Amino acid sequence: MKTVTIKSQDEAAALLPNLDPLIATILVNRGITTQEAADAVLAPSYDEHSHDPFLMKDMEKVVTRILKAIENKERIGIFTDYDADGIPGGVVMHDFLTKIGHNNFRIYIPHRHTEGFGLSTDAVNTLHKDGITLLITIDCGIVDVEETQHANSLGIDVIITDHHLPHDEVPEAFAIINPKQVGCEYPEKMLCGSGVIYKVIQGIMKKNSFGLPIGWEKWLLDMVGIATLSDMVPLRGENRVFAHYGLKVLRKSPRLGLQTLCSSMKITQQFINEEDIGFSITPRINVASRMSDPRDAFDLLSTTDTSRAYTLVKELDVKNNERKGLVASIAKEIKHRIKEDPSYETLPVFVMGDSKWKPAVLGLAANTIMREINKPVFLWGKEDGEVYKGSCRSPGPSVVDIMLACPEGTFVEAGGHAMSGGFAIADEAVFDIRETINAAYMELEKTKGDLTSADQVLTIDARLPLASVNKKTWNALATCAPFGEGYSKPLFIFENVTVEAIKPFGKTKEHIELTLSDSGAKNIKAIQFFAHDNPAILKLTPWSQVSIIGHLEESRFKSYPEYRIKIVEII
């Protein structure tokens, strides 16, 4: 059951008297209580709110080694992760090296299904045979101890740039750039992988600009912005700088692939926002590795060939539709199984798997199921004779804590963040995995207390009349954007409104549009995606009186901007 709390604007107005009371309330609700902190959010400064790259441990050593490689025309290997953080990071390095005229490099992106995450000895061998003498990782490498040692034995200097948490044993690399490593005093610990490699390029440009205009590297922020908004790092501090300026660069980026992608999805590039990235661009970067070859996404973002850009956009769109179909099919099968076996609903953790399921899409399916049943979800599958692999999502209890509480030997690999993770299951453990995970959860509950989040609380920023769903309010809210991790999108309640019309839309009529009115406004639209089976929607009839909780949004799908409500809850 969800409860609703509504914040008072009085305290916010007292703390931030120079701001509009609504904007002040939004900021105070997110822990921003001083004018200085508010300025850093509303008007982040590239110079004032980012940090000297040489505050990072090993940065001097890394910059010196890369400059030496460039001077000596060494062949450089760029090994990057295959997701929407690593791939943009690879594009950043590709663009920099190309711009300064050092074309003796190779981009290596491992195949998700055949190679897995991080460095491998096979990849190192391939790069060695290709003449690589300096290997730079992006968004990976911090746990690849044996693989780094293997590279060392072949005479390859390895520079690891990563943002993931190091394990107890750290690779013996030539140098490591990671703000989370022991002994690194860099103030911003929560950079994404692309943010880390951008700091390296900043460091290089400080030592040698190669004749480029001062600040040229800011053009790379379109990729850093995508990665920052895709990787769900907190949008505070330096990450906010990258997201804010990243969006500015994206809106005028000359990248052919990006322009073609926006055109195909009917996104007006000059108005691109964090929602466009999260719901349209990021999925198409990630689908390349989930359903095909991650190189397709890299090539799209780095190509200078118009026809190649068009071809790649069409291919990724096809793969994205295939991905949607797979996820929908798995979700449908899961719901059918739940009906046949009600015991799935009684256990605190939902665990299900099938050797026919494609592991690469299970995170998306797990997220879909989690939103519906509001409990931790673990899904597993198998592909091409490999080990059983899966993904997990949670609305509250940490999936990492749950996995760590399982008996040793349950997982071949396991990791992630509190709300999202991945794992590989030992063959002998897969048959009892549902019981094992639920037993671990219950043991965890004995030591930590109740882990459930059944009584969710929706914190409302303000009560608004329907008349406020307009350009003026939207422009005011836009001064607070972008929103994301650690800085949630404003949530409003529109009380006692009348439902004038109910209209399904979409290819299969899976979405719902409501037409609303109150004493001060008529014909205000409110939408909810994938709402065809939402009980609160199904019981609505014309002239129903309801209260709508939702976000204000601007839609540019038509030839003119439309301001509407995106429904979160109907009460």
Side-chain angles (χ1 to χ4, degrees):
M1 176 180 177
K2 290 182 179 177
T3 59
V4 175
T5 64
I6 303 175
K7 294 286 190 176
S8 166
Q9 292 191 17
D10 295 339
E11 179 188 358
L15 289 168
L16 300 171
N18 297 327
L19 299 179
D20 176 282
L22 178 61
I23 303 306
T25 301
I26 290 168
L27 296 183
V28 170
N29 287 350
R30 285 148 188 78
I32 300 156
T33 59
T34 68
Q35 190 61 49
E36 182 182 8
D39 291 342
V41 168
L42 300 177
S45 165
Y46 184 86
D47 295 320
E48 292 179 23
H49 298 132
S50 61
H51 310 291
D52 182 350
F54 289 97
L55 293 175
M56 279 195 183
K57 182 180 180 182
D58 277 359
M59 184 62 80
E60 188 76 44
K61 189 176 181 182
V62 162
V63 168
T64 300
R65 180 64 183 90
I66 294 174
L67 287 173
K68 177 185 174 184
I70 293 168
E71 181 183 354
N72 294 337
K73 297 181 170 44
E74 292 181 55
R75 188 153 176 78
I76 300 173
I78 310 298
F79 187 100
T80 178
D81 188 24
Y82 44 64
D83 68 1
D85 183 8
I87 287 175
V91 175
V92 163
M93 201 64 188
H94 163 277
D95 287 3
F96 171 69
L97 291 174
T98 302
K99 187 70 175 178
I100 65 172
H102 184 87
N103 297 308
N104 191 22
F105 69 92
R106 172 179 178 171
I107 301 289
Y108 190 111
I109 309 173
H111 196 285
R112 180 192 285 261
H113 309 308
T114 59
E115 296 180 81
F117 176 78
L119 279 173
S120 65
T121 53
D122 286 345
V124 171
N125 287 337
T126 298
L127 292 166
H128 177 250
K129 289 176 183 175
D130 193 27
I132 300 299
T133 55
L134 175 63
L135 174 59
I136 303 169
T137 74
I138 299 174
D139 192 30
C140 60
I142 195 62
V143 298
D144 297 327
V145 176
E146 293 179 10
E147 295 79 5
T148 301
Q149 186 57 49
H150 181 61
N152 293 341
S153 71
L154 296 175
I156 300 173
D157 285 341
V158 179
I159 293 172
I160 292 172
T161 77
D162 203 348
H163 70 121
H164 296 99
L165 279 170
H167 290 182
D168 291 339
E169 186 178 5
V170 177
E172 293 183 9
F174 176 84
I176 296 175
I177 301 292
N178 185 336
K180 295 189 179 83
Q181 69 176 309
V182 174
C184 184
E185 297 180 358
Y186 194 72
E188 180 56 77
K189 299 297 183 184
M190 299 303 292
L191 295 175
C192 68
S194 287
V196 173
I197 195 63
Y198 182 77
K199 299 306 295 186
V200 171
I201 291 171
Q202 276 188 325
I204 294 171
M205 291 285 286
K206 276 195 164 193
K207 294 287 187 180
N208 186 343
S209 68
F210 296 93
L212 296 174
I214 294 173
W216 171 86
E217 69 274 14
K218 293 178 186 177
W219 281 105
L220 304 173
L221 285 171
D222 57 350
M223 294 294 99
V224 181
I226 287 176
T228 299
L229 291 163
S230 298
D231 209 51
M232 305 298 285
V233 291
L235 293 187
R236 302 289 181 93
E238 195 163 18
N239 285 329
R240 186 149 197 87
V241 173
F242 289 159
H244 176 85
Y245 287 95
L247 284 168
K248 283 183 178 294
V249 177
L250 277 163
R251 289 167 186 154
K252 53 187 177 183
S253 175
R255 291 184 191 278
L256 287 175
L258 182 69
Q259 292 175 350
T260 308
L261 189 59
C262 286
S263 177
S264 75
M265 296 185 296
K266 295 182 169 57
I267 293 172
T268 305
Q269 186 182 348
Q270 70 183 92
F271 297 112
I272 197 168
N273 60 32
E274 66 269 31
E275 300 256 319
D276 296 322
I277 291 171
F279 291 104
S280 300
I281 294 175
T282 300
R284 280 162 176 79
I285 296 174
N286 284 332
V287 80
S289 66
R290 294 184 196 279
M291 304 294 293
S292 182
D293 187 338
R295 186 76 193 207
D296 290 344
F298 174 87
D299 288 347
L300 174 65
L301 296 173
S302 60
T303 187
T304 55
D305 183 301
T306 302
S307 62
R308 177 68 172 147
Y310 179 80
T311 299
L312 287 167
V313 164
K314 299 298 281 186
E315 288 177 1
L316 288 176
D317 197 46
V318 168
K319 293 299 179 184
N320 197 47
N321 288 330
E322 285 180 18
R323 185 268 302 169
K324 288 179 182 177
L326 266 179
V327 173
S329 171
I330 292 169
K332 183 177 180 181
E333 184 176 346
I334 289 170
K335 292 173 187 177
H336 178 71
R337 287 198 201 177
I338 292 172
K339 286 182 180 178
E340 290 190 333
D341 184 356
S343 69
Y344 279 108
E345 296 188 87
T346 62
L347 293 170
V349 182
F350 184 89
V351 184
M352 188 180 285
D354 194 305
S355 58
K356 299 189 298 293
W357 289 348
K358 193 179 184 75
V361 301
L362 290 181
L364 303 168
N367 203 51
T368 298
I369 300 302
M370 181 205 72
R371 287 201 306 266
E372 294 194 13
I373 65 175
N374 192 39
K375 64 170 69 172
V377 173
F378 284 68
L379 301 180
W380 56 265
K382 195 173 187 180
E383 187 172 43
D384 299 330
E386 296 293 321
V387 297
Y388 295 97
K389 291 182 179 180
S391 291
C392 43
R393 299 290 186 270
S394 174
S398 167
V399 293
V400 173
D401 287 348
I402 295 170
M403 289 189 286
L404 288 174
C406 290
E408 188 175 347
T410 301
F411 299 107
V412 178
E413 297 174 1
H417 309 290
M419 307 306 169
S420 153
F423 56 86
I425 312 171
D427 284 357
E428 62 274 14
V430 73
F431 300 104
D432 301 314
I433 194 65
R434 180 166 75 146
E435 292 75 15
T436 302
I437 289 175
N438 275 283
Y441 178 95
M442 287 183 268
E443 282 298 314
L444 198 61
E445 207 166 43
K446 287 179 183 177
T447 59
K448 293 196 171 185
D450 184 14
L451 301 175
T452 63
S453 57
D455 187 20
Q456 290 182 300
V457 177
L458 289 175
T459 300
I460 310 300
D461 287 292
R463 292 181 173 90
L464 292 181
L466 287 179
S468 65
V469 181
N470 57 33
K471 182 177 181 178
K472 181 181 178 181
T473 308
W474 172 257
N475 286 343
L477 295 177
T479 64
C480 304
F483 300 100
E485 186 70 16
Y487 182 72
S488 60
K489 195 174 180 181
L491 196 59
F492 306 112
I493 186 166
F494 303 85
E495 295 178 307
N496 302 318
V497 300
T498 300
V499 178
E500 293 185 344
I502 306 164
K503 175 187 167 185
F505 69 98
K507 286 184 180 178
T508 59
K509 307 298 182 184
E510 69 273 31
H511 314 311
I512 298 293
E513 177 187 86
L514 306 180
T515 302
L516 307 174
S517 66
D518 64 10
S519 60
K522 291 184 179 297
N523 296 322
I524 301 299
K525 306 299 183 185
I527 64 158
Q528 188 168 54
F529 295 112
F530 304 104
H532 56 289
D533 58 354
N534 182 343
I537 293 282
L538 294 175
K539 70 180 183 181
L540 291 179
T541 59
W543 313 115
S544 294
Q545 291 278 327
V546 296
S547 292
I548 303 284
I549 298 172
H551 309 292
L552 189 65
E553 71 171 19
E554 179 188 62
S555 170
R556 290 186 170 269
F557 189 75
K558 300 176 182 178
S559 57
Y560 57 89
E562 179 184 41
Y563 302 95
R564 64 190 185 187
I565 302 165
K566 188 172 183 181
I567 300 169
V568 171
E569 194 79 14
I570 298 175
I571 57 177

